[in-house]
PDB file of all heavy atoms in Angstrom:
ATOM      1  N   SER X 229       0.111   6.154   9.215  1.00 78.00           N
ATOM      2  CA  SER X 229       0.290   7.345   8.396  1.00 78.00           C
ATOM      3  C   SER X 229       0.218   8.559   9.313  1.00 78.00           C
ATOM      4  O   SER X 229      -0.810   8.827   9.930  1.00 78.00           O
ATOM      5  CB  SER X 229      -0.802   7.435   7.328  1.00 78.00           C
ATOM      6  OG  SER X 229      -0.709   8.667   6.650  1.00 78.00           O
ATOM      7  N   TRP X 230       1.317   9.279   9.381  1.00 68.00           N
ATOM      8  CA  TRP X 230       1.394  10.442  10.265  1.00 68.00           C
ATOM      9  C   TRP X 230       1.059  11.729   9.531  1.00 68.00           C
ATOM     10  O   TRP X 230       1.290  12.803  10.030  1.00 68.00           O
ATOM     11  CB  TRP X 230       2.788  10.536  10.871  1.00 68.00           C
ATOM     12  CG  TRP X 230       3.059   9.389  11.772  1.00 68.00           C
ATOM     13  CD1 TRP X 230       3.724   8.254  11.449  1.00 68.00           C
ATOM     14  CD2 TRP X 230       2.635   9.242  13.127  1.00 68.00           C
ATOM     15  NE1 TRP X 230       3.751   7.402  12.526  1.00 68.00           N
ATOM     16  CE2 TRP X 230       3.093   7.990  13.572  1.00 68.00           C
ATOM     17  CE3 TRP X 230       1.922  10.046  14.001  1.00 68.00           C
ATOM     18  CZ2 TRP X 230       2.863   7.523  14.856  1.00 68.00           C
ATOM     19  CZ3 TRP X 230       1.699   9.580  15.278  1.00 68.00           C
ATOM     20  CH2 TRP X 230       2.165   8.337  15.698  1.00 68.00           C
ATOM     21  N   ARG X 231       0.520  11.643   8.341  1.00 60.00           N
ATOM     22  CA  ARG X 231       0.278  12.851   7.545  1.00 60.00           C
ATOM     23  C   ARG X 231      -0.603  13.862   8.274  1.00 60.00           C
ATOM     24  O   ARG X 231      -0.433  15.050   8.126  1.00 60.00           O
ATOM     25  CB  ARG X 231      -0.318  12.502   6.188  1.00 60.00           C
ATOM     26  CG  ARG X 231      -1.728  11.983   6.281  1.00 60.00           C
ATOM     27  CD  ARG X 231      -2.377  11.827   4.924  1.00 60.00           C
ATOM     28  NE  ARG X 231      -3.670  11.249   5.130  1.00 60.00           N
ATOM     29  CZ  ARG X 231      -4.159  10.249   4.454  1.00 60.00           C
ATOM     30  NH1 ARG X 231      -3.477   9.737   3.485  1.00 60.00           N
ATOM     31  NH2 ARG X 231      -5.339   9.776   4.724  1.00 60.00           N
ATOM     32  N   ASP X 232      -1.561  13.360   9.057  1.00 50.00           N
ATOM     33  CA  ASP X 232      -2.440  14.277   9.782  1.00 50.00           C
ATOM     34  C   ASP X 232      -1.679  15.029  10.871  1.00 50.00           C
ATOM     35  O   ASP X 232      -1.930  16.191  11.125  1.00 50.00           O
ATOM     36  CB  ASP X 232      -3.613  13.514  10.398  1.00 50.00           C
ATOM     37  CG  ASP X 232      -4.507  12.908   9.334  1.00 50.00           C
ATOM     38  OD1 ASP X 232      -4.573  13.480   8.230  1.00 50.00           O
ATOM     39  OD2 ASP X 232      -5.113  11.865   9.598  1.00 50.00           O
ATOM     40  N   ILE X 233      -0.743  14.347  11.508  1.00 51.00           N
ATOM     41  CA  ILE X 233       0.045  14.993  12.557  1.00 51.00           C
ATOM     42  C   ILE X 233       1.010  15.993  11.937  1.00 51.00           C
ATOM     43  O   ILE X 233       1.203  17.084  12.447  1.00 51.00           O
ATOM     44  CB  ILE X 233       0.776  13.936  13.395  1.00 51.00           C
ATOM     45  CG1 ILE X 233      -0.289  13.158  14.144  1.00 51.00           C
ATOM     46  CG2 ILE X 233       1.833  14.555  14.270  1.00 51.00           C
ATOM     47  CD1 ILE X 233       0.105  12.401  15.329  1.00 51.00           C
ATOM     48  N   ALA X 234       1.610  15.619  10.794  1.00 51.00           N
ATOM     49  CA  ALA X 234       2.557  16.517  10.123  1.00 51.00           C
ATOM     50  C   ALA X 234       1.873  17.817   9.703  1.00 51.00           C
ATOM     51  O   ALA X 234       2.485  18.879   9.713  1.00 51.00           O
ATOM     52  CB  ALA X 234       3.179  15.831   8.909  1.00 51.00           C
ATOM     53  N   SER X 235       0.598  17.722   9.340  1.00 56.00           N
ATOM     54  CA  SER X 235      -0.119  18.927   8.934  1.00 56.00           C
ATOM     55  C   SER X 235      -0.745  19.647  10.128  1.00 56.00           C
ATOM     56  O   SER X 235      -1.504  20.579   9.959  1.00 56.00           O
ATOM     57  CB  SER X 235      -1.201  18.573   7.911  1.00 56.00           C
ATOM     58  OG  SER X 235      -2.191  17.774   8.527  1.00 56.00           O
ATOM     59  N   ARG X 236      -0.421  19.175  11.324  1.00 56.00           N
ATOM     60  CA  ARG X 236      -0.904  19.763  12.572  1.00 56.00           C
ATOM     61  C   ARG X 236      -2.430  19.707  12.704  1.00 56.00           C
ATOM     62  O   ARG X 236      -3.052  20.543  13.327  1.00 56.00           O
ATOM     63  CB  ARG X 236      -0.398  21.191  12.741  1.00 56.00           C
ATOM     64  CG  ARG X 236       1.107  21.255  12.767  1.00 56.00           C
ATOM     65  CD  ARG X 236       1.579  22.682  12.934  1.00 56.00           C
ATOM     66  NE  ARG X 236       2.996  22.772  12.734  1.00 56.00           N
ATOM     67  CZ  ARG X 236       3.917  22.566  13.657  1.00 56.00           C
ATOM     68  NH1 ARG X 236       3.565  22.246  14.862  1.00 56.00           N
ATOM     69  NH2 ARG X 236       5.194  22.677  13.377  1.00 56.00           N
ATOM     70  N   SER X 237      -2.995  18.709  12.080  1.00 60.00           N
ATOM     71  CA  SER X 237      -4.429  18.497  12.170  1.00 60.00           C
ATOM     72  C   SER X 237      -4.758  17.871  13.526  1.00 60.00           C
ATOM     73  O   SER X 237      -3.919  17.240  14.150  1.00 60.00           O
ATOM     74  CB  SER X 237      -4.878  17.566  11.043  1.00 60.00           C
ATOM     75  OG  SER X 237      -6.201  17.151  11.252  1.00 60.00           O
ATOM     76  N   SER X 238      -5.982  18.022  13.957  1.00 62.00           N
ATOM     77  CA  SER X 238      -6.390  17.409  15.220  1.00 62.00           C
ATOM     78  C   SER X 238      -6.798  15.950  15.013  1.00 62.00           C
ATOM     79  O   SER X 238      -7.092  15.256  15.974  1.00 62.00           O
ATOM     80  CB  SER X 238      -7.552  18.194  15.827  1.00 62.00           C
ATOM     81  OG  SER X 238      -8.653  18.186  14.949  1.00 62.00           O
ATOM     82  N   ASN X 239      -6.816  15.485  13.764  1.00 66.00           N
ATOM     83  CA  ASN X 239      -7.182  14.094  13.488  1.00 66.00           C
ATOM     84  C   ASN X 239      -6.048  13.154  13.905  1.00 66.00           C
ATOM     85  O   ASN X 239      -4.880  13.456  13.696  1.00 66.00           O
ATOM     86  CB  ASN X 239      -7.467  13.894  11.997  1.00 66.00           C
ATOM     87  CG  ASN X 239      -8.653  14.707  11.537  1.00 66.00           C
ATOM     88  OD1 ASN X 239      -9.566  14.947  12.307  1.00 66.00           O
ATOM     89  ND2 ASN X 239      -8.630  15.132  10.303  1.00 66.00           N
ATOM     90  N   PRO X 240      -6.403  12.005  14.465  1.00 69.00           N
ATOM     91  CA  PRO X 240      -5.354  11.035  14.826  1.00 69.00           C
ATOM     92  C   PRO X 240      -4.764  10.406  13.564  1.00 69.00           C
ATOM     93  O   PRO X 240      -5.394  10.432  12.500  1.00 69.00           O
ATOM     94  CB  PRO X 240      -6.116   9.999  15.657  1.00 69.00           C
ATOM     95  CG  PRO X 240      -7.522  10.100  15.198  1.00 69.00           C
ATOM     96  CD  PRO X 240      -7.737  11.538  14.802  1.00 69.00           C
ATOM     97  N   PRO X 241      -3.564   9.843  13.670  1.00 71.00           N
ATOM     98  CA  PRO X 241      -2.976   9.201  12.494  1.00 71.00           C
ATOM     99  C   PRO X 241      -3.788   7.976  12.079  1.00 71.00           C
ATOM    100  O   PRO X 241      -4.470   7.361  12.892  1.00 71.00           O
ATOM    101  CB  PRO X 241      -1.583   8.799  12.963  1.00 71.00           C
ATOM    102  CG  PRO X 241      -1.667   8.760  14.447  1.00 71.00           C
ATOM    103  CD  PRO X 241      -2.712   9.759  14.837  1.00 71.00           C
ATOM    104  N   THR X 242      -3.732   7.642  10.804  1.00 78.00           N
ATOM    105  CA  THR X 242      -4.379   6.446  10.296  1.00 78.00           C
ATOM    106  C   THR X 242      -3.441   5.274  10.553  1.00 78.00           C
ATOM    107  O   THR X 242      -2.254   5.355  10.267  1.00 78.00           O
ATOM    108  CB  THR X 242      -4.635   6.583   8.781  1.00 78.00           C
ATOM    109  OG1 THR X 242      -5.405   7.757   8.558  1.00 78.00           O
ATOM    110  CG2 THR X 242      -5.360   5.385   8.236  1.00 78.00           C
ATOM    111  N   SER X 243      -3.971   4.209  11.106  1.00 85.00           N
ATOM    112  CA  SER X 243      -3.142   3.056  11.454  1.00 85.00           C
ATOM    113  C   SER X 243      -3.866   1.776  11.072  1.00 85.00           C
ATOM    114  O   SER X 243      -5.089   1.683  11.196  1.00 85.00           O
ATOM    115  CB  SER X 243      -2.870   3.061  12.960  1.00 85.00           C
ATOM    116  OG  SER X 243      -2.173   1.913  13.342  1.00 85.00           O
ATOM    117  N   LEU X 244      -3.097   0.798  10.585  1.00 92.00           N
ATOM    118  CA  LEU X 244      -3.645  -0.521  10.282  1.00 92.00           C
ATOM    119  C   LEU X 244      -2.797  -1.578  10.961  1.00 92.00           C
ATOM    120  O   LEU X 244      -1.564  -1.499  10.964  1.00 92.00           O
ATOM    121  CB  LEU X 244      -3.631  -0.792   8.775  1.00 92.00           C
ATOM    122  CG  LEU X 244      -4.546   0.038   7.888  1.00 92.00           C
ATOM    123  CD1 LEU X 244      -4.351  -0.361   6.430  1.00 92.00           C
ATOM    124  CD2 LEU X 244      -5.994  -0.130   8.289  1.00 92.00           C
ATOM    125  N   SER X 245      -3.465  -2.576  11.525  1.00 95.00           N
ATOM    126  CA  SER X 245      -2.755  -3.735  12.062  1.00 95.00           C
ATOM    127  C   SER X 245      -2.348  -4.626  10.891  1.00 95.00           C
ATOM    128  O   SER X 245      -2.765  -4.402   9.744  1.00 95.00           O
ATOM    129  CB  SER X 245      -3.665  -4.521  13.006  1.00 95.00           C
ATOM    130  OG  SER X 245      -4.717  -5.132  12.268  1.00 95.00           O
ATOM    131  N   PHE X 246      -1.556  -5.650  11.167  1.00 96.00           N
ATOM    132  CA  PHE X 246      -1.175  -6.587  10.117  1.00 96.00           C
ATOM    133  C   PHE X 246      -2.415  -7.213   9.476  1.00 96.00           C
ATOM    134  O   PHE X 246      -2.497  -7.330   8.247  1.00 96.00           O
ATOM    135  CB  PHE X 246      -0.271  -7.698  10.676  1.00 96.00           C
ATOM    136  CG  PHE X 246       1.164  -7.293  10.806  1.00 96.00           C
ATOM    137  CD1 PHE X 246       1.634  -6.740  11.982  1.00 96.00           C
ATOM    138  CD2 PHE X 246       2.050  -7.460   9.763  1.00 96.00           C
ATOM    139  CE1 PHE X 246       2.960  -6.374  12.121  1.00 96.00           C
ATOM    140  CE2 PHE X 246       3.378  -7.100   9.881  1.00 96.00           C
ATOM    141  CZ  PHE X 246       3.843  -6.551  11.058  1.00 96.00           C
ATOM    142  N   LEU X 247      -3.383  -7.618  10.310  1.00 96.00           N
ATOM    143  CA  LEU X 247      -4.586  -8.250   9.782  1.00 96.00           C
ATOM    144  C   LEU X 247      -5.419  -7.259   8.976  1.00 96.00           C
ATOM    145  O   LEU X 247      -5.895  -7.583   7.876  1.00 96.00           O
ATOM    146  CB  LEU X 247      -5.419  -8.857  10.911  1.00 96.00           C
ATOM    147  CG  LEU X 247      -6.708  -9.555  10.482  1.00 96.00           C
ATOM    148  CD1 LEU X 247      -6.412 -10.700   9.517  1.00 96.00           C
ATOM    149  CD2 LEU X 247      -7.464 -10.070  11.700  1.00 96.00           C
ATOM    150  N   GLU X 248      -5.596  -6.056   9.488  1.00 96.00           N
ATOM    151  CA  GLU X 248      -6.363  -5.040   8.752  1.00 96.00           C
ATOM    152  C   GLU X 248      -5.703  -4.732   7.414  1.00 96.00           C
ATOM    153  O   GLU X 248      -6.386  -4.600   6.391  1.00 96.00           O
ATOM    154  CB  GLU X 248      -6.482  -3.761   9.575  1.00 96.00           C
ATOM    155  CG  GLU X 248      -7.378  -3.895  10.784  1.00 96.00           C
ATOM    156  CD  GLU X 248      -7.263  -2.695  11.723  1.00 96.00           C
ATOM    157  OE1 GLU X 248      -6.179  -2.103  11.837  1.00 96.00           O
ATOM    158  OE2 GLU X 248      -8.290  -2.376  12.348  1.00 96.00           O
ATOM    159  N   PHE X 249      -4.375  -4.628   7.405  1.00 96.00           N
ATOM    160  CA  PHE X 249      -3.665  -4.371   6.160  1.00 96.00           C
ATOM    161  C   PHE X 249      -3.891  -5.511   5.172  1.00 96.00           C
ATOM    162  O   PHE X 249      -4.176  -5.274   3.998  1.00 96.00           O
ATOM    163  CB  PHE X 249      -2.171  -4.173   6.419  1.00 96.00           C
ATOM    164  CG  PHE X 249      -1.390  -3.835   5.193  1.00 96.00           C
ATOM    165  CD1 PHE X 249      -1.455  -2.563   4.645  1.00 96.00           C
ATOM    166  CD2 PHE X 249      -0.596  -4.783   4.566  1.00 96.00           C
ATOM    167  CE1 PHE X 249      -0.742  -2.238   3.498  1.00 96.00           C
ATOM    168  CE2 PHE X 249       0.119  -4.479   3.426  1.00 96.00           C
ATOM    169  CZ  PHE X 249       0.047  -3.198   2.897  1.00 96.00           C
ATOM    170  N   ALA X 250      -3.802  -6.750   5.651  1.00 96.00           N
ATOM    171  CA  ALA X 250      -4.019  -7.905   4.780  1.00 96.00           C
ATOM    172  C   ALA X 250      -5.421  -7.885   4.178  1.00 96.00           C
ATOM    173  O   ALA X 250      -5.594  -8.159   2.979  1.00 96.00           O
ATOM    174  CB  ALA X 250      -3.790  -9.200   5.554  1.00 96.00           C
ATOM    175  N   VAL X 251      -6.416  -7.553   4.975  1.00 97.00           N
ATOM    176  CA  VAL X 251      -7.798  -7.487   4.475  1.00 97.00           C
ATOM    177  C   VAL X 251      -7.934  -6.373   3.435  1.00 97.00           C
ATOM    178  O   VAL X 251      -8.534  -6.575   2.371  1.00 97.00           O
ATOM    179  CB  VAL X 251      -8.799  -7.291   5.645  1.00 97.00           C
ATOM    180  CG1 VAL X 251     -10.188  -6.942   5.128  1.00 97.00           C
ATOM    181  CG2 VAL X 251      -8.826  -8.533   6.525  1.00 97.00           C
TER     182      VAL X 251
END
Side-chain angles (χ1 to χ4, degrees):
S229 173
W230 294 97
R231 69 172 176 227
D232 295 331
I233 293 200
S235 66
R236 300 180 190 274
S237 169
S238 60
N239 297 329
T242 304
S243 175
L244 293 178
S245 68
F246 279 91
L247 180 59
E248 290 169 327
F249 183 75
V251 169

